[in-house]
Amino acid sequence: MPEQTGFNPPCPAAPAASWMRYAAPALFYPLAGRLIPWLALAAALFAAAGLYVGLVVAPTDSQQGEVYRILFIHVAAAWMSMFLYLVMAAYAALGLIYNTRLSFMMMRALAPTGALFTFLTLWTGALWGKPTWGAWWVWDARLTSELILLFLYLGFIALQAATDDDRRADRSGAILLLAGVVNVPIIYFSVQWWSTLHQGASISLTTAPSMARIMVTAMLLMVAAFWLYSAAVALARVRGLIAQREPGAVRARAPAAREAA
């Protein structure tokens, strides 16, 4: 019989297992609350830096003049409109496969921000297109597919609001998101698959950027700002959803949080 010792050190939990526990809405709620101020502050700093570099430091374009500066917002918004939809679709898949409540909540929380960036993409594109193409709107392949993305966002939001049954709304919304994923590669590759007025990608993973380095810097700063903003706003919304759907869990965590503080 093995000798029993008086002290048995606990086995450390695996990092993945420790992070997985935050899939529980009651545990994720206080974590989100701690992250929101830092994400919002970082978003403001990156946005200020990006706008300063893009509007003040970057030189005037030799062909388009000053109007090209719209691209620092337009391109960053376009990237985020597609990225957030893919993130929502990933949460939708996780929710359907593992039936995780937090996945469905994150899916819902990201939708208004994704719709906002899609609208901003179309609006800034129109402002850029008028002096460049001579028209506010053309039925260009990329513009049309981006408009379809906006309809997908708005359709998802409307579907969530159409019923008071959260479980049914979550599953139907997740199916809609997964069905609409096919539109994202169409947006990205549309300028390669069809002859369009829209210019090709200025930044590629396989080739050097076709614009000045200072312009690329401004664009990447704005992408970081929009990403941080999206994270902060989504966490704020998901906290509201947790409080709405599971108020008992939030109230139960409040005394423990005050005691720890």
Side-chain angles (χ1 to χ4, degrees), residues 2-255:
E3 182 181 356
Q4 298 291 330
T5 60
F7 173 72
N8 294 315
C11 297
S18 62
W19 278 105
M20 284 296 292
R21 68 192 185 96
Y22 287 109
L27 293 176
F28 188 79
Y29 184 87
L31 174 65
R34 292 192 297 269
L35 291 176
I36 289 171
W38 295 104
L39 291 171
L41 176 61
L45 293 176
F46 273 95
L51 290 174
Y52 176 76
V53 174
L55 300 180
V56 179
V57 179
T60 303
D61 186 76
S62 59
Q63 296 180 346
Q64 300 185 54
E66 299 292 348
V67 72
Y68 92 97
R69 299 183 191 276
I70 296 175
L71 75 86
F72 299 121
I73 294 177
H74 174 75
V75 174
W79 287 359
M80 289 305 302
S81 70
M82 294 183 286
F83 174 73
L84 290 180
Y85 191 92
L86 292 177
V87 173
M88 288 173 60
Y91 277 122
L94 288 173
L96 291 174
I97 295 171
Y98 297 106
N99 197 29
T100 50
R101 305 187 306 278
L102 185 61
S103 296
F104 288 130
M105 294 183 199
M106 287 299 300
M107 176 186 73
R108 283 193 176 205
L110 287 166
T113 307
L116 171 64
F117 281 125
T118 308
F119 174 78
L120 186 61
T121 301
L122 294 169
W123 180 56
T124 54
L127 292 178
W128 193 2
K130 178 60 176 177
T132 305
W133 297 340
W136 295 104
W137 176 268
V138 293
W139 290 103
D140 180 89
R142 175 160 286 182
L143 272 66
T144 304
S145 53
E146 185 74 15
L147 180 62
I148 292 173
L149 183 64
L150 178 61
F151 291 155
L152 286 170
Y153 275 119
L154 296 179
F156 172 83
I157 295 172
L159 188 60
Q160 301 303 293
T163 177
D164 294 330
D165 186 344
D166 290 333
R167 184 179 180 87
R168 181 178 178 183
D170 287 341
R171 293 189 172 276
S172 57
I175 294 172
L176 173 63
L177 287 175
L178 293 174
V181 165
V182 67
N183 188 55
V184 176
I186 292 176
I187 296 173
Y188 187 80
F189 293 108
S190 58
V191 294
Q192 301 177 25
W193 293 345
W194 296 285
S195 176
T196 68
L197 290 175
H198 203 286
Q199 70 183 56
S202 300
I203 299 178
S204 173
L205 296 177
T206 57
T207 59
S210 60
M211 58 174 56
R213 182 173 299 179
I214 191 66
M215 298 178 183
V216 175
T217 300
M219 188 182 301
L220 295 180
L221 286 171
M222 292 306 301
V223 171
F226 285 174
W227 186 91
L228 291 163
Y229 166 81
S230 300
V233 172
L235 291 180
R237 287 200 191 97
V238 84
R239 277 171 58 89
L241 289 171
I242 293 172
Q244 175 186 346
R245 293 190 178 190
E246 303 185 16
V250 174
R251 286 195 297 267
R253 293 290 301 176

